[in-house]
Amino acid sequence: MVAKPVSSTASADAADEGTKISRKEQAANTRAKLVDVGRRMFTEHGYDGTSVSAILAEANMAKGALYHHFPEGKRGLFRAVVDVVDEQLHDGFEHILATVQSPRERILAGFTILLDLAVDREFARIILVEASVVFPGEWVEGGEYHLLRATLAEAMEVGELRPLPLDATSTVLYGAARRAADHVAVAPKPKAAARDNLVALSAVLDGLKP
């Protein structure tokens, strides 16, 4: 069989498609590198202690690359870093939802995951210390709060917890868990602090039993 010659138009189209893919990959790689550099520098130096010029120098990139991918500049990059680091918590909650049937036990498992992550230096600095300053108040409206509220409602409905004012109970428990995580994040012995805070949170939850 004689092979048909490839037309110049087809060759050009293939080359253009390859160029598009290459550009997309390059853009994705550039963004990923900026996030990786930001992740390391924000963990090491904090948000205020990390300048745009330092990020660009570490990434070996021009200012235009940063603002192309993150129009808000350092703030936009930090939000992207927060999303990446916070994914561990969301993955943990999804695993709990898929594997733990008791709503009360899901709440306790959620406390455990949060405190375990608070021991991690990167999670503690980015999520618990820096994000609360850069994006104040956002944790109150976060998905974690609404998940806790829904789980509390379920626990009350099935009789695992006493029927109490739902919004007030959700706010108190979520605030206690968040404050416990904050304490672990800055404790000189975070693992010991995590164990102590889990004991305290468990006692609070036990106090809501019928």
Side-chain angles (χ1 to χ4, degrees):
M1 180 180 292
V2 178
K4 294 182 180 180
V6 178
S7 69
S8 58
T9 301
S11 298
D13 289 344
D16 288 343
E17 186 64 26
T19 301
K20 289 178 183 177
I21 294 173
S22 177
R23 286 174 180 168
K24 287 181 180 178
E25 290 177 346
Q26 184 178 12
N29 290 338
T30 298
R31 187 183 191 281
K33 184 175 182 180
L34 284 166
V35 171
D36 182 61
V37 169
R39 189 172 173 173
R40 287 188 280 107
M41 296 192 74
F42 290 136
T43 299
E44 186 67 29
H45 307 291
Y47 182 81
D48 287 338
T50 302
S51 65
V52 169
S53 59
I55 293 170
L56 295 175
E58 183 70 17
N60 193 27
M61 293 183 190
K63 185 181 289 188
L66 174 66
Y67 286 93
H68 173 74
H69 293 284
F70 305 101
E72 287 187 278
K74 185 173 78 167
R75 184 180 176 87
L77 175 60
F78 183 69
R79 185 176 288 279
V81 169
V82 167
D83 289 342
V84 170
V85 176
D86 202 33
E87 194 172 332
Q88 304 168 80
L89 186 61
H90 295 296
D91 288 346
F93 287 158
E94 287 181 6
H95 178 72
I96 291 170
L97 288 171
T99 58
V100 181
Q101 291 188 341
S102 162
R104 180 189 171 281
E105 291 303 317
R106 289 203 300 271
I107 293 170
L108 187 57
F111 290 162
T112 302
I113 285 179
L114 176 61
L115 295 177
D116 283 347
L117 284 172
V119 173
D120 178 76
R121 180 170 175 266
E122 180 185 66
F123 185 91
R125 184 70 185 266
I126 297 295
I127 303 300
L128 300 175
V129 177
E130 300 297 330
S132 61
V133 176
V134 180
F135 308 119
E138 286 197 7
W139 65 274
V140 178
E141 300 297 329
E144 294 89 349
Y145 170 81
H146 295 291
L147 177 60
L148 174 61
R149 187 182 186 280
T151 310
L152 279 170
E154 184 183 351
M156 292 176 189
E157 185 177 348
V158 301
E160 289 189 349
L161 299 178
R162 298 201 312 271
L164 294 166
L166 183 58
D167 286 338
T169 307
S170 302
T171 300
V172 168
L173 268 186
Y174 191 80
R178 173 62 197 236
R179 190 66 190 91
D182 290 343
H183 173 235
V184 173
V186 298
K189 296 181 179 180
K191 289 185 178 180
R195 289 193 298 269
D196 291 346
N197 277 274
L198 183 59
V199 170
L201 287 172
S202 299
V204 171
L205 195 58
D206 284 343
L208 302 182
K209 288 180 180 180

